[in-house]
Amino acid sequence: MAKLLETYACAPSTERGRGILISGDTKSGSIVYCNGRSVIIRSLANPLNVEIYGEHAYPTTVAKFSPNGEWIASGDVSGQVRIWARNEEHTLKFEIRALSGSIDDLDWSFDGQRIVVCGDGKGSTFVKAFLWDSGSTVGEFDGHSKRVLSCAFKPNRPFRIATCGEDFLVNFYEGPPFRFKTSHREHLNFVNCVRFSPNGSKFLTVGSDKKGFIFNGKTGEKLGNLSGEDGHTGSIYAACWSPDGEQVLTVSADKTAKIWDISEEGNGKVSTTFQFSDIGGAEDMQVGCLWMGEYLITVSLGGIITYLSKTDPNCSLKVISGHLKSITALTVAKLGESGELYSSSYDGVIVHWRVGSGYAGRLEKKGTVNRATHMVARGDELLTCGMDNKLWRVMLSGNSYGDTEATDLELQPQDLDVTLSSSDVAVVPTKASIIILHGSTVISKTDVGYQPSAAAISPDGSEIVVGGQDGKLYIYSVKGDTLIQESVLERHRGALTAVRFSPDGTMIASGDQNREAVVWDRDTREVKMKNMLYHTARINTLAWSPDSLKVATASVDSCVYVYDVTKPVSARITLRNAHLGSISALAFLDSQTFASGGDDACIRLWTLH
């Protein structure tokens, strides 16, 4: 069987021009955020302590802990809200189609009995409040004419709800049942976030007009505003009160976060400013924040979660991140318990991971570098190729992958493999040819009469096997800069999607679009393992263990199968639902440990027993 060792979670999903609203639970020290169809629960003290909820049918947008921390309410783009338990089974308590469009924010009443949601009502209802266990409506929310971006419950009696949105309005409701009380049009642009202070005496709104206003939490009357002196110079996307209610943390498109001292009269003055330059460009815009106990965290547009130090604004306490989009490639840079991994995603980001500690940084982009669809680490080099039709060689001692010159492959690469001993010799199949490179130099380009879809080079560099769209495996011997076809292997009934030599060079594993995997004996060209037909959809990738005794396959069906070549295929190890969605990358760290990456933008480490 296989056991999950670690999960390297994805970063919070972000969108330019919009803030993200993350929630925290002080009892467990955890935060909850969304990415794709996943809801991620993550410990701030130990970011590797991760839970993932994946029961939404549509991309999720917001999630929030109940006041007692035992339940979570999460919403998605279809307007669906699911309320589920934080137990191991994530028991579903209640589900409701709250709005006809996307849910943008939600909040619990302080007693945990009511939930208010807001978002895109598609021209009808923009705000709804209901009982958490039955869905019964507890009020009417008139007053908004456009999408409502944020809502908040007053954290004590008497019950109050504040909302704000794209109509520049801040509305205030009394209840239950909730009815419209008053409205304010102080903002001159979208109002992005509204939050009550912990004692409920005040609430704050911030907007794209770079302004913030403070109102009376009981009556809804305006008290004051955030001072323009040393204020934000860009849209303010989110705000959060300190636990004592005397300060506010805000984040902005101007790439800063600010702490404001709030007076009793309701005016705010900047006390601390934090500057961000983690990635460069627009990705350093700050779009989310949370102040929970001793933790002050911000989230950037590029998915960087930064732990702030109140005493030293120039020094971050910790930085964690992950991928924002689907994983496209994964490679091991260092084997063993202290292994290191590199992974790439659909948006062109390459992230460095260390076993046992997780996020270790990302390779900085220099100029325009498209997503890497194939990636291999050998020695102190990382080789990548992808949608830009180029092969990049990156020194792993550096922190960027745009410094070196790239080799132009002319056509889009279908695969990438290098010899086991070094990264000097590489093979790249394109849609019409097979390219062999020595270093960054193309030494051979062989046109073929079929369409290659996968390729591998033997550990000693003497043979190349190419899988075609016609379902055949073509084996070539390498003589200097010339490829000589030796044989053609026919068994697959679909286009080849993956092929690799075993590390000891004695076997070849191949997988196809028709969900079948085959292990071949390299010397005899005979089938060594057959009937590996357990996947229910196309095989995306496969990987060998370093001792050449195991081969793992992964598929669109979210499953991983691990076969021991010394045992019958019926003795396979099965991992069902290893990821939420398709699995696109596999890599072994040692004979018992491997990593996988998929459409859920997460990396997972597994150990075999």
Side-chain angles (χ1 to χ4, degrees):
M1 61 175 291
K3 178 184 176 185
L4 180 63
L5 279 182
E6 294 177 355
T7 298
Y8 305 148
C10 52
S13 184
T14 61
E15 179 185 348
R16 188 162 183 178
R18 287 195 180 277
I20 63 167
L21 306 170
I22 54 179
S23 166
D25 173 37
T26 53
K27 295 178 183 176
S28 63
S30 301
I31 60 171
V32 61
Y33 58 81
C34 300
N35 185 303
R37 287 173 46 220
S38 303
V39 178
I40 314 294
I41 305 171
R42 202 168 184 181
S43 167
L44 287 177
N46 178 18
L48 290 183
N49 186 356
V50 175
E51 295 176 59
I52 299 177
Y53 179 79
E55 297 300 317
H56 278 273
Y58 296 89
T60 53
T61 52
V62 64
K64 210 156 225 183
F65 291 103
S66 64
N68 63 11
E70 296 177 4
W71 301 89
I72 290 176
S74 53
D76 61 33
V77 296
S78 73
Q80 201 80 2
V81 175
R82 294 174 70 92
I83 298 149
W84 43 278
R86 284 191 66 187
N87 56 22
E88 194 171 328
E89 296 79 22
H90 293 153
T91 308
L92 181 66
K93 174 72 174 179
F94 187 69
E95 184 176 19
I96 183 174
R97 180 77 183 272
L99 301 177
S100 55
S102 177
I103 305 288
D104 285 331
D105 195 10
L106 60 83
D107 199 13
W108 293 76
S109 61
F110 68 90
D111 58 1
Q113 298 300 305
R114 301 165 182 85
I115 294 173
V116 60
V117 300
C118 66
D120 188 358
K122 304 285 187 183
S124 55
T125 304
F126 298 100
V127 184
K128 183 172 184 175
F130 54 88
L131 295 177
W132 81 297
D133 54 355
S134 67
S136 301
T137 303
V138 290
E140 297 292 331
F141 294 87
D142 304 321
H144 282 290
S145 59
K146 291 184 178 180
R147 186 172 184 167
V148 177
L149 300 177
S150 186
C151 57
F153 250 113
K154 184 170 177 282
N156 49 26
R157 291 184 184 275
F159 288 99
R160 299 288 186 267
I161 289 175
T163 61
C164 61
E166 292 184 354
D167 52 8
F168 309 172
L169 293 179
V170 176
N171 287 352
F172 191 72
Y173 303 86
E174 291 182 341
F178 290 96
R179 294 287 185 270
F180 176 83
K181 171 70 183 303
T182 185
S183 183
H184 296 276
R185 200 183 180 92
E186 306 291 340
H187 287 278
L188 304 176
N189 206 328
F190 291 177
V191 193
N192 295 318
C193 183
V194 56
R195 289 294 180 260
F196 277 91
S197 62
N199 63 8
S201 63
K202 305 179 184 72
F203 69 91
L204 166 76
T205 62
V206 293
S208 295
D209 56 358
K210 312 168 192 174
K211 295 180 180 179
F213 295 97
I214 298 168
F215 302 87
N216 184 293
K218 186 176 180 180
T219 64
E221 298 173 354
K222 181 189 170 185
L223 296 177
N225 58 9
L226 300 182
S227 171
E229 184 181 345
D230 198 26
H232 287 292
T233 58
S235 298
I236 307 176
Y237 288 127
C240 190
W241 290 82
S242 63
D244 61 9
E246 295 181 359
Q247 291 180 307
V248 165
L249 174 66
T250 59
V251 290
S252 168
D254 62 8
K255 305 178 188 177
T256 68
K258 293 180 184 289
I259 294 177
W260 306 73
D261 292 328
I262 308 298
S263 67
E264 282 294 325
E265 295 75 29
N267 290 302
K269 184 178 180 182
V270 173
S271 65
T272 309
T273 299
F274 304 87
Q275 300 278 351
F276 296 88
S277 57
D278 295 306
I279 306 173
E283 291 182 323
D284 283 330
M285 292 180 179
Q286 301 299 302
V287 295
C289 63
L290 181 67
W291 194 329
M292 186 179 75
E294 297 298 315
Y295 292 105
L296 285 82
I297 64 169
T298 64
V299 182
S300 74
L301 183 64
I304 301 288
I305 300 174
T306 305
Y307 294 57
L308 304 179
S309 168
K310 276 188 70 176
T311 56
D312 186 1
N314 298 317
C315 181
S316 302
L317 297 176
K318 187 192 293 185
V319 172
I320 60 173
S321 188
H323 288 287
L324 290 166
K325 303 293 183 183
S326 305
I327 306 297
T328 56
L330 177 65
T331 185
V332 176
K334 184 181 177 185
L335 297 172
E337 291 183 3
S338 59
E340 296 187 14
L341 300 161
Y342 285 86
S343 57
S344 67
S345 54
Y346 193 82
D347 52 1
V349 173
I350 296 180
V351 177
H352 179 199
W353 310 94
R354 286 196 181 95
V355 176
S357 59
Y359 179 76
R362 59 169 73 185
L363 294 189
E364 183 185 342
K365 285 188 283 190
K366 299 279 189 181
T368 303
V369 180
N370 289 319
R371 62 184 169 104
T373 50
H374 308 287
M375 187 164 59
V376 179
R378 283 290 184 272
D380 58 356
E381 269 192 323
L382 181 70
L383 283 74
T384 71
C385 62
M387 300 299 287
D388 57 357
N389 301 348
K390 294 179 180 178
L391 176 74
W392 295 79
R393 287 178 173 270
V394 184
M395 297 302 295
L396 293 180
S397 56
N399 63 349
S400 63
Y401 64 104
D403 295 333
T404 56
E405 287 189 16
T407 303
D408 191 354
L409 302 172
E410 297 181 4
L411 292 174
Q412 188 173 323
Q414 304 298 304
D415 202 350
L416 168 66
D417 195 23
V418 300
T419 54
L420 192 61
S421 55
S422 74
S423 60
D424 285 346
V425 181
V427 58
V428 179
T430 68
K431 289 189 175 181
S433 60
I434 304 162
I435 299 173
I436 301 177
L437 300 100
H438 193 283
S440 298
T441 305
V442 175
I443 62 171
S444 170
K445 182 178 180 182
T446 306
D447 293 332
V448 292
Y450 58 92
Q451 186 174 330
S453 53
I457 189 167
S458 62
D460 59 3
S462 62
E463 270 189 347
I464 288 174
V465 58
V466 181
Q469 288 284 345
D470 56 6
K472 299 176 182 179
L473 286 168
Y474 299 84
I475 297 181
Y476 300 86
S477 59
V478 182
K479 306 292 184 184
D481 58 357
T482 305
L483 289 184
I484 301 172
Q485 185 172 316
E486 298 289 344
S487 58
V488 179
L489 305 182
E490 297 186 42
R491 181 179 177 87
H492 289 279
R493 292 167 291 179
L496 272 297
T497 54
V499 59
R500 282 295 180 265
F501 281 93
S502 61
D504 64 7
T506 62
M507 292 170 284
I508 301 168
S510 53
D512 67 29
Q513 208 159 4
N514 203 34
R515 71 186 181 84
E516 184 177 13
V518 179
V519 175
W520 310 78
D521 186 286
R522 180 183 172 189
D523 293 331
T524 64
R525 314 295 199 215
E526 297 293 326
V527 174
K528 185 177 176 70
M529 295 182 74
K530 59 183 178 180
N531 297 327
M532 300 163 72
L533 274 161
Y534 297 101
H535 287 292
T536 58
R538 63 170 278 165
I539 294 174
N540 282 334
T541 185
L542 57 83
W544 285 93
S545 61
D547 59 7
S548 300
L549 294 178
K550 298 180 182 70
V551 61
T553 61
S555 165
V556 174
D557 63 8
S558 306
C559 296
V560 177
Y561 291 102
V562 183
Y563 302 90
D564 190 321
V565 297
T566 63
K567 298 178 181 178
V569 295
S570 58
R572 69 197 179 280
I573 296 173
T574 304
L575 275 79
R576 299 194 186 280
N577 301 315
H579 287 266
L580 184 62
S582 176
I583 303 172
S584 52
L586 285 177
F588 272 87
L589 283 95
D590 57 44
S591 60
Q592 299 296 322
T593 310
F594 69 93
S596 60
D599 280 358
D600 57 4
C602 297
I603 305 291
R604 288 185 154 177
L605 256 59
W606 308 87
T607 183
L608 303 172
H609 295 287

